[in-house]
Amino acid sequence: MNQPDDTFKPGRRSFLGYSAGAASVAAVTGCASMAADDPLAAASAPPAAGDAASTTQAVQMPMTLQVNGQTRRLYGDVRLSLLDALREKLELTGSKKGCDQGQCGACTVHVDGKRVLGCLTLAVTVQGKKITTIEGLASADRLHPMQQAFIDHDAFQCGYCTPGQIMSAVAIVNEGHAKNDNDIRESMSGNLCRCAAYPNIVDAINDAKVKMAATPSPAGS
């Protein structure tokens, strides 16, 4: 009588399962061997899932920003953008998040009097510098000449890009880049207006630059 054949004969699914398991074991063994042979490779390996929380915590730090003449303290990731620090941490929401890629200019603010894109600037890098946002542009009892000119010349429609437009406009006047219409258009080309109020914006800047020449600018603007 023939004896039963006890030899294991895997099917296709079983074979694939065993193959995947063997590959995983080989990969783990190989990584362990690499780590033993090459300390640099081990140091550059991604953290294990259990280490994710400690890795995130390690990049948090306290920051102190000088915003609109006030000292503001916050706690955040070292990768925190200036725009997110202003909007999410300090609740200064005048600066708008448009493209968040440095393309539209809606997040423009001043740092030591120079225009910068808040979405591309790390908050940690501007500690100790004077930051001015649209909220700090006006004096206590009156609008900045540029703000007033934008109203007088109807230089905005939806208003979303207007804070960035105004901050850039003030900066180009202070930089001497508003000598004529073409100069203004070129210097303001980084600020996009989806409502296409560009002719009115040029008129507003031409109006405001005369008044700004006779009016001391607020500190840092």
Side-chain angles (χ1 to χ4, degrees):
M1 183 175 66
N2 294 331
Q3 297 294 323
D5 186 358
D6 293 332
T7 305
F8 176 63
K9 297 179 180 180
R12 179 174 179 273
R13 291 186 179 180
S14 299
F15 175 76
L16 292 176
Y18 283 114
S19 298
S24 299
V25 172
V28 171
T29 304
C31 289
S33 176
M34 179 185 69
D37 296 338
D38 187 355
L40 291 179
S44 63
D51 296 333
S54 59
T55 301
T56 301
Q57 183 65 26
V59 297
Q60 302 288 318
M61 67 172 289
M63 304 179 202
T64 303
L65 302 180
Q66 303 296 325
V67 185
N68 299 330
Q70 297 182 349
T71 299
R72 305 292 302 270
R73 293 180 174 83
L74 59 108
Y75 193 79
D77 195 303
V78 293
R79 297 164 296 182
L80 182 70
S81 71
L82 176 57
L83 176 61
D84 285 342
L86 294 171
R87 291 181 56 84
E88 308 298 334
K89 301 289 187 178
L90 304 182
E91 298 183 349
L92 294 170
T93 57
S95 304
K96 302 305 182 187
K97 179 174 285 194
C99 64
D100 208 25
Q101 297 180 359
Q103 300 291 325
C104 70
C107 63
T108 303
V109 296
H110 296 172
V111 175
D112 284 346
K114 304 296 183 182
R115 50 185 165 153
V116 303
L117 295 170
C119 72
L120 297 185
T121 303
L122 293 178
V124 70
T125 66
V126 293
Q127 295 185 97
K129 300 182 180 181
K130 293 180 179 179
I131 302 165
T132 305
T133 70
I134 191 69
E135 291 92 343
L137 199 58
S139 60
D141 58 348
R142 58 191 171 85
L143 295 175
H144 186 280
M146 191 64 72
Q147 291 173 306
Q148 187 62 55
F150 265 63
I151 294 172
D152 294 342
H153 292 271
D154 195 21
F156 55 91
Q157 292 184 40
C158 77
Y160 194 84
C161 71
T162 303
Q165 297 276 2
I166 290 175
M167 297 304 289
S168 286
V170 170
I172 70 165
V173 171
N174 290 337
E175 294 165 4
H177 295 154
K179 297 181 179 66
N180 51 56
D181 288 1
N182 288 335
D183 198 18
I184 292 172
R185 293 189 185 98
E186 176 65 26
S187 299
M188 291 290 293
S189 61
N191 289 80
L192 304 183
C193 174
R194 295 177 69 90
C195 302
Y198 298 115
N200 304 54
I201 291 171
V202 172
D203 291 342
I205 295 173
N206 278 321
D207 183 5
K209 70 181 180 182
V210 177
K211 297 173 182 176
M212 287 175 61
T215 305
S217 299
S221 65

